Amino acid sequence: MSLIEKIEGLLSEVKDFKAKAPEEVESFRIRILGSKGELKKLFGEFKNVPSEARKEFGEKLNELKTKAQDKINELKSSSDSAGQSDDFIDLTRPSQSAALGSRHPISVVRNRILDIFNRIGYTIAEGPEIEDDWHNFSALNFTEEHPARDMQDTFFIGPDALLRTHTSSVQVRVMESQEPPIRVICPGRVFRNEAISARAHCIFHQIEGLYIDKGVSFADMKQNLLHFARELFGEDVKIRLRPSYFPFTEPSAEMDIYWGLESEADYRITKGTGWLEIMGCGMIDPNVLKNSNIDPEQYSGFAFGMGIERIAMLLFQVKNLRLYFENDLRFLNQFKAAL
Ligand code: PHE
C-alpha cells in the first residue's frame, strides 16, 4: 500500500467516523492527531518520499490534518449539548419568555369606569361615530348659531354628516329608542377640529352617562358621581360641583376632584386651586326630553360626560396626551400590570 493510499484510507475513516460517547472522540483524536498518532508517523515518512511526489504528499497530509481536526471539533460540540440534555435537565432554568401584550391605558381606564357603573345598574350603549346634525346638536338644544357648530370645532364630512364631537349624541339615540327607566353608560371616540398638542388631540375618548326615571333629582346625580369618584380614586376623594353651562342640561355643573396642593407641580396642574375638573354634568333639559318624545312632566334625569384621557392622566400621572396615541411599545409596556 502506497503512502498516498494510506492517507486516502485515513481520510475516508475520518469522514465516516461516528462517536457515541465523548471518550470515543478522544481516543480517535489520540490515534490520528496524537503525538504518536498516524499523522505524526506519516510526517516521519517525508524523508522517504521521492522529491517529485513530496508536494502531493504534503498537501494530502495537510488535508488529513484539517479534516480530522474539524471532525473532532464538530463531534465535541455536538456531544456537549447532546450530553447536557441527556444526563441533566435543569428544571429551575427560566424558560424562554413569550412576549405578552398589554392593554392600552385608555382601555384600562375605560374598563374600570364601565365596571363601576355596571355594578350600580348602568348598561352599555354605543352609537355611530359619523352623526347627523340632529343627534349631535339640534336634539341636544344647540341653537342654530351655537359656536360649537362652527367649522373650527367640528369635522363636517357631508351635507348632513359630521364626526360626533361628544358622546352626548348617544344619549339622544338611547332616548329615542328606549322607554324610561333608562340607565346607560356610553363609551366612544369623539372628534374635534383642534391643533394637536401635548394638551389637545383631534380624536379622544369620552364616557357618557344617562339616567332617566320618575322623580330623579340633582341629589341622585351627586350621589352617583360621588360613588363613582370613590370607586375610581379611593374612599378619601373629595368632590365638588361647580355651576356651569351646557345647552342640554339645566342646571349644569362641572365636577372637580381634590388633587392637593403640596408640590409645585400640584400648583401647576390645578392652576393654584388644588381642584381638577373631571367631568360635565347636569339635569337633562326638558326640551331635550321632549325632542325624544319623553314627557318631562313625568320623567326627569341627569347626564354626565367625561374624557377618558383626562382621567388616565390623573390615574397614571402621564401628562403628555400624545403618548396615548402614538402606540410606542416602550410606553404601552408599562401598563402590563394594569387590568
Ligand atoms: N358633552 C359634554 C362635553 O363634551 C359633556 C357633558 C355630558 C356635559 C353630559 C353634561 C352632560 O363637554
Side-chain angles (χ1 to χ4, degrees), residues 218-250:
F218 198 89
D220 294 323
M221 178 178 84
K222 198 174 159 189
Q223 280 309 309
N224 271 239
L225 296 182
L226 176 62
H227 170 79
F228 160 73
R230 283 184 173 158
E231 290 284 300
L232 193 64
F233 296 105
E235 274 301 305
D236 303 331
V237 74
K238 274 191 264 174
I239 66 164
R240 76 174 182 191
L241 292 170
R242 240 176 334 102
S244 182
Y245 172 78
F246 299 101
F248 41 95
T249 48
E250 181 58 35

Side-chain angles (χ1 to χ4, degrees), residues 165-166 168 171 192 206 208 246 248-249 280-282 303-305:
T165 58
H166 52 185
S168 301
Q171 275 188 45
R192 288 187 198 171
Q206 284 191 330
E208 189 90 6
F246 299 101
F248 41 95
T249 48
C281 57
F304 54 88

